[in-house]
Structures are given as structure tokens and as C-alpha cells.
């Protein structure tokens, strides 16, 4: 499935072996990619940048950092991704299972943080990038979808080979069930509801997520709410940064009770307003 958002073309590819990897994509633009807002969704991700690096901006602190190929942990607050130049934008990414960093073991769960992909997983980044480019070129004659599938397969294989301590099957299944239930309910449930879904006590659920996700049940639900809230309103968060900020601004200004704002978006009302204001300022000067 391909989606065009501004000048950015994104091709989604289903994993060959669902588990560690939940989703794969290739996103390309002939010049600098348009700005986008990266929303929390409770998952870590791995991104290989075959084109120009990007700038990651924290809307609360306004701190900006150029990033290349990275392993990123689950986010609690949104971030703004800006082009670092006008060169070709080409990234290949994988959304990982919530428990993936427990298996990959990159010295922590990297909540709202990232590390260079090679450093985090012991991968040879130049060799990985070269293999992905070669796979794309070899399959390009069969069309964009075939080229994308061949390219992401190289990343999928590298991630599978980087697993350092496999997560027990029962724990993987329980975390996956928690995530599916949270997604289906748009995060609008209580931690005790998550515990019941996997037939565990609340303390048992806390221990499970602490061991394999790095978030409390409440924090995990909060990370799911914001992305679900935006997508529910019909905005494509893959490239429509202005649209994402517009709907969040409208919600923040609607005068809902503070408790309802946090319940729906996962952020306290004050943090939501600060994040929206920060995103507006960043995009205005991009």
C-alpha cells in the first residue's frame, strides 16, 4: 500500500514473520521530506536513513538534534521531524513490537530516547545500508512494491539476527494481547482492564510491562491515546504535520475538563497546550 503525503511517498510492507516486527515501510522524497509529527503509539522503532539525516525537535524543550539511522524507544510526548537539508530523503523503518527492546537488549528501554542503530544493536551500519540499496536496485525492475519489499527484508533480517535474549513465549503473547486490546479501545480503558484481558493481577501486569516494555500500564495507555485521537479525526500523521497540529490545537482550545483532555490524549491539559504551542513554533520556523 502506498500513500502520498505532500512530496513524501510512503510504501507499507507487511512483515514476513510477524512478531518482533509489527510493520515496515519505505518513505522517499526527491528532495527534503516535508515536516511531520511523530506521535506516541507505545512502540519502539528502528529507522535506517539511506538519504539525508533528519532533525528531531522536542516541542516541550525546543531542543533539536540531527539524527541518522536510529533505534528509538517508545515515546511519551510527540516529536517534530524536520529535514536537515535539501538532499534526497529516503528512510526505511520498522515499527517494533512493544516487547522488542527486551529481546534486542540495547541497555535500556530508551523511553523518549534513541541511540544510533549500529551502536545499539552491534550492526555494521554502512554494510546494512549498502545491502538495502542493492536489494532495492535488484528488484526495482519489478516495480516499487517489489523493490520496497526487498529493501525492508534486509532490515527485518538484521533485526531478527540482533536478538540477544529471546522473550519467553508466554510473556510475548501477554504483551501482544495487552497492546491489541489497548489499540482496539484507543487507550480509553483502565490498567485493571488490561490486567483482566491477560488474566493477571494488576501487580502482575506492572511486573510484565516493567520487564519487557519499560512503561507502567498507565503510561502505556497514555502513549496509545494521542495517536489514536489524531487518527480517529481522519488526519494522516505520516506526513500532514500541519493537520496533526491543527486538530490538537482545536482539541486543546475546546474547553474540555482537564481530566477529559488527559483521558482522551494521554497528556495533561497543560502539557498538551505546551506541546501544541511548541509544534506550532517549530513548524513556523521550519
Amino acid at each position: 500500500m502506498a500513500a502520498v503525503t505532500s512530496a513524501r511517498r510512503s510504501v507499507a510492507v507487511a512483515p514476513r514473520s510477524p512478531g518482533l516486527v509489527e510493520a515496515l515501510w519505505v518513505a522517499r522524497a526527491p528532495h527534503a521530506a516535508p515536516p511531520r509529527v511523530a506521535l506516541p503509539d507505545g512502540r519502539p522503532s528502528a529507522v535506517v536513513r539511506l538519504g539525508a539525516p533528519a532533525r528531531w525537535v522536542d516541542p516541550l524543550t525546543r531542543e533539536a538534534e540531527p539524527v541518522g539511522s536510529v533505534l528509538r524507544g517508545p515515546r511519551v510526548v510527540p516529536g517534530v521531524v524536520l529535514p536537515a537539508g535539501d538532499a534526497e530523503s529516503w528512510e526505511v523503518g520498522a515499527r517494533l513490537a512493544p516487547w522488542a527492546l527486551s529481546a534486542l537488549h540495547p541497555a535500556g528501554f530508551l523511553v523518549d530516547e534513541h541511540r544510533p542503530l549500529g551502536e545499539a544493536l552491534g550492526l555494521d551500519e554502512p554494510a546494512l545500508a549498502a545491502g538495502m540499496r542493492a536489494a532495492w536496485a535488484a528488484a526495482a525492475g519489478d516495480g516499487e512494491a517489489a523493490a520496497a519489499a526487498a529493501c525492508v527484508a534486509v532490515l527485518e533480517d538484521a533485526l531478527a539476527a540482533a536478538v540477544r535474549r529471546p522473550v519467553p513465549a508466554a510473556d510475548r503473547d501477554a504483551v501482544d494481547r495487552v497492546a491489541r486490546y489497548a489499540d482496539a479501545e484507543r487507550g480509553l480503558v483502565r490498567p485493571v482492564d488490561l490486567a483482566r484481558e491477560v488474566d493477571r493481577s494488576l501487580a502482575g501486569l506492572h511486573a510484565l510491562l516493567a520487564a519487557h516494555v519499560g512503561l507502567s500500564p498507565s503510561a502505556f495507555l497514555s502513549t496509545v491515546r494521542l495517536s489514536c485521537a489524531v487518527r480517529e479525526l481522519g488526519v494522516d500523521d505520516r506526513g500532514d504535520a500541519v493537520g496533526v497540529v491543527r486538530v490538537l490545537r482545536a482539541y486543546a482550545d475546546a474547553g474540555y475538563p482537564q481530566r477529559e483532555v488527559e483521558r482522551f490524549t494521554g497528556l495533561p491539559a497543560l502539557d498538551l497546550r505546551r506541546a501544541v504551542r511548541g509544534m506550532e513554533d517549530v513548524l513556523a520556523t521550519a
Side-chain angles (χ1 to χ4, degrees), residues 123-133 154:
L123 300 176
D124 184 334
E125 283 190 27
L128 178 62
M132 295 168 79
R133 288 180 178 276
V154 177

Side-chain angles (χ1 to χ4, degrees), residues 141-237:
D142 295 324
E144 182 184 43
C151 187
V152 299
V154 177
L155 176 58
E156 190 177 6
D157 289 343
L159 291 170
V163 170
R164 297 178 186 178
R165 57 175 193 192
V167 176
D171 286 357
R172 289 200 314 268
D173 179 65
V175 174
D176 285 341
R177 286 165 61 196
V178 164
R180 286 194 300 269
Y181 182 64
D183 287 343
E185 298 297 329
R186 310 191 322 277
L188 302 177
V189 292
R190 302 167 300 168
V192 69
D193 297 319
L194 294 182
R196 288 171 180 158
E197 181 69 13
V198 292
D199 300 318
R200 299 197 180 210
S201 67
L202 188 55
L205 178 64
H206 271 274
L208 175 73
L209 297 189
H212 299 303
V213 181
L215 296 170
S216 69
S218 294
F220 182 78
L221 286 169
S222 292
T223 65
V224 171
R225 287 175 193 154
L226 190 58
S227 57
C228 288
V230 170
R231 292 166 190 164
E232 187 179 54
L233 295 172
V235 176
D236 186 346
D237 62 297

Side-chain angles (χ1 to χ4, degrees), residues 31-277:
H31 300 292
R36 65 186 178 90
V37 172
L39 295 171
D41 63 4
R43 273 71 165 180
S45 60
V47 176
V48 178
R49 289 191 168 84
L50 301 177
R55 284 187 297 145
W56 187 278
V57 185
D58 184 321
L60 297 179
T61 66
R62 317 295 171 88
E63 293 180 356
E65 179 184 3
V67 294
S69 299
V70 296
L71 179 69
R72 184 171 291 281
R75 296 184 299 275
V76 175
V77 297
V80 181
V81 185
L82 301 174
D86 195 39
E88 176 193 30
S89 171
W90 183 1
E91 72 176 34
V92 182
R95 186 182 73 188
L96 305 177
W99 48 264
L101 295 194
S102 179
L104 295 169
H105 198 44
F109 291 105
L110 305 177
V111 176
D112 276 332
E113 296 179 5
H114 65 268
R115 290 177 61 191
L117 191 62
E119 174 190 321
L121 300 182
L123 300 176
D124 184 334
E125 283 190 27
L128 178 62
M132 295 168 79
R133 288 180 178 276
W136 180 283
D142 295 324
E144 182 184 43
C151 187
V152 299
V154 177
L155 176 58
E156 190 177 6
D157 289 343
L159 291 170
V163 170
R164 297 178 186 178
R165 57 175 193 192
V167 176
D171 286 357
R172 289 200 314 268
D173 179 65
V175 174
D176 285 341
R177 286 165 61 196
V178 164
R180 286 194 300 269
Y181 182 64
D183 287 343
E185 298 297 329
R186 310 191 322 277
L188 302 177
V189 292
R190 302 167 300 168
V192 69
D193 297 319
L194 294 182
R196 288 171 180 158
E197 181 69 13
V198 292
D199 300 318
R200 299 197 180 210
S201 67
L202 188 55
L205 178 64
H206 271 274
L208 175 73
L209 297 189
H212 299 303
V213 181
L215 296 170
S216 69
S218 294
F220 182 78
L221 286 169
S222 292
T223 65
V224 171
R225 287 175 193 154
L226 190 58
S227 57
C228 288
V230 170
R231 292 166 190 164
E232 187 179 54
L233 295 172
V235 176
D236 186 346
D237 62 297
R238 290 173 294 178
D240 187 3
V242 173
V244 171
V245 175
R246 183 177 62 250
V247 298
L248 291 178
R249 165 59 70 188
Y251 192 82
D253 290 345
Y256 294 110
Q258 292 191 19
R259 185 174 180 179
E260 181 66 15
V261 171
E262 184 167 3
R263 179 177 181 271
F264 191 63
T265 69
L267 290 174
L270 180 59
D271 285 349
L272 177 62
R273 288 183 178 279
R274 289 178 57 214
V276 170
R277 186 167 59 249

